[in-house]
Amino acid sequence: FRFIVSAEDAGEYSDLKPFVRKLMARMEADLGTSLDWVAVDHHNTGHPHTHIVLRGRDDLGQDLVIARDYIAHGMRERAAEIVTLDLGPRTDLEIEDRFARQVSQERLTDLDRALRRAATPEGVVSLADAPHGVARPHWAGRLQSLSRLGLAEEAAPGKWHLSGDLESVLREMGERADIIKTMHKDMAAQSLDR
């Protein structure tokens, strides 16, 4: 398995290694097996993150099976618990600022994940379905941003249809932006101005 751990508050950590070790220890406890893994921390973008490669075998040498739901949500929840324990809970103002920043980002955000969870199987989401903790203006603003990107369309007042490839397109856009930032940083370090 290959995955990237990119805690939103990763910049608050001077070293990501203890955080990643705690996460992997929690995963071992959750999965009931020891895990064979390696990780590399990257601080070369605006979002410090860690690449983790996990061997696909359990401690008995059998294929390691990880539930899809655990990969999609459980790991994220474990990481959030660790960050909260390490850095303390977020204030309401910090949460509000986080969602405000996500409204116009050209990458996959927590707002997008919430939109997908609230959408019907046909991909329709209603402004009235904004989850607890997400202000309706952020929800509406994100839908309008997605509309400008061609990833959402207002089907009726307050009802939006999300593109089926919303997640993959936003992931690709985020990766492209990270590559461009890395190139600019490297060019600046070499005193190149392009």
Side-chain angles (χ1 to χ4, degrees):
F1 297 90
R2 294 179 301 160
F3 51 94
I4 298 172
V5 176
S6 179
E8 186 174 331
D9 295 327
E12 300 290 324
Y13 285 95
S14 59
D15 184 9
L16 292 172
K17 288 176 185 66
F19 165 73
V20 172
R21 288 183 182 125
K22 288 177 195 174
L23 175 62
M24 296 309 292
R26 297 265 172 98
M27 286 179 61
E28 286 180 337
D30 290 344
L31 299 173
T33 186
S34 60
L35 299 174
D36 189 13
W37 57 276
V38 293
V40 176
D41 295 335
H42 280 173
H43 297 273
N44 60 344
T45 68
H47 308 281
H49 58 280
T50 302
H51 294 261
I52 300 174
V53 177
L54 173 62
R55 185 170 180 249
R57 300 276 180 206
D58 63 16
D59 51 4
L60 299 175
Q62 302 296 316
D63 285 345
L64 179 64
V65 178
I66 303 175
R68 205 176 278 224
D69 191 50
Y70 185 79
I71 292 173
H73 305 290
M75 289 172 51
R76 180 175 287 119
E77 290 170 9
R78 284 296 187 203
E81 289 170 6
I82 294 166
V83 170
T84 299
L85 288 171
D86 288 350
L87 303 177
R90 290 184 177 171
T91 66
D92 289 343
L93 183 58
E94 289 172 326
I95 293 169
E96 178 76 19
D97 287 346
R98 183 184 105 213
F99 284 128
R101 285 191 310 271
Q102 290 181 7
V103 167
S104 61
Q105 288 183 346
E106 292 186 3
R107 67 174 55 251
L108 187 65
T109 68
D110 291 334
L111 286 173
D112 302 316
R113 290 182 186 96
L115 284 165
R116 293 302 279 169
R117 282 192 303 273
T120 66
E122 297 80 30
V124 177
V125 68
S126 171
L127 285 177
D129 295 335
H132 176 71
V134 178
R136 203 168 277 167
H138 297 316
W139 193 259
R142 184 58 179 171
L143 285 165
Q144 295 207 355
S145 292
L146 293 174
S147 177
R148 283 191 292 280
L149 296 171
L151 297 172
E153 182 179 357
E154 192 167 17
K159 298 222 183 257
W160 292 76
H161 184 265
L162 303 176
S163 171
D165 59 353
L166 176 119
E167 289 186 36
S168 61
V169 170
L170 289 173
R171 282 183 201 281
E172 191 175 301
M173 291 174 82
E175 290 170 5
R176 189 174 340 131
D178 288 344
I179 289 168
I180 291 169
K181 284 180 189 175
T182 301
M183 289 171 56
H184 282 250
K185 186 177 179 181
D186 289 346
M187 288 176 13
Q190 296 174 26
S191 298
L192 297 173
D193 186 20
R194 300 268 191 284

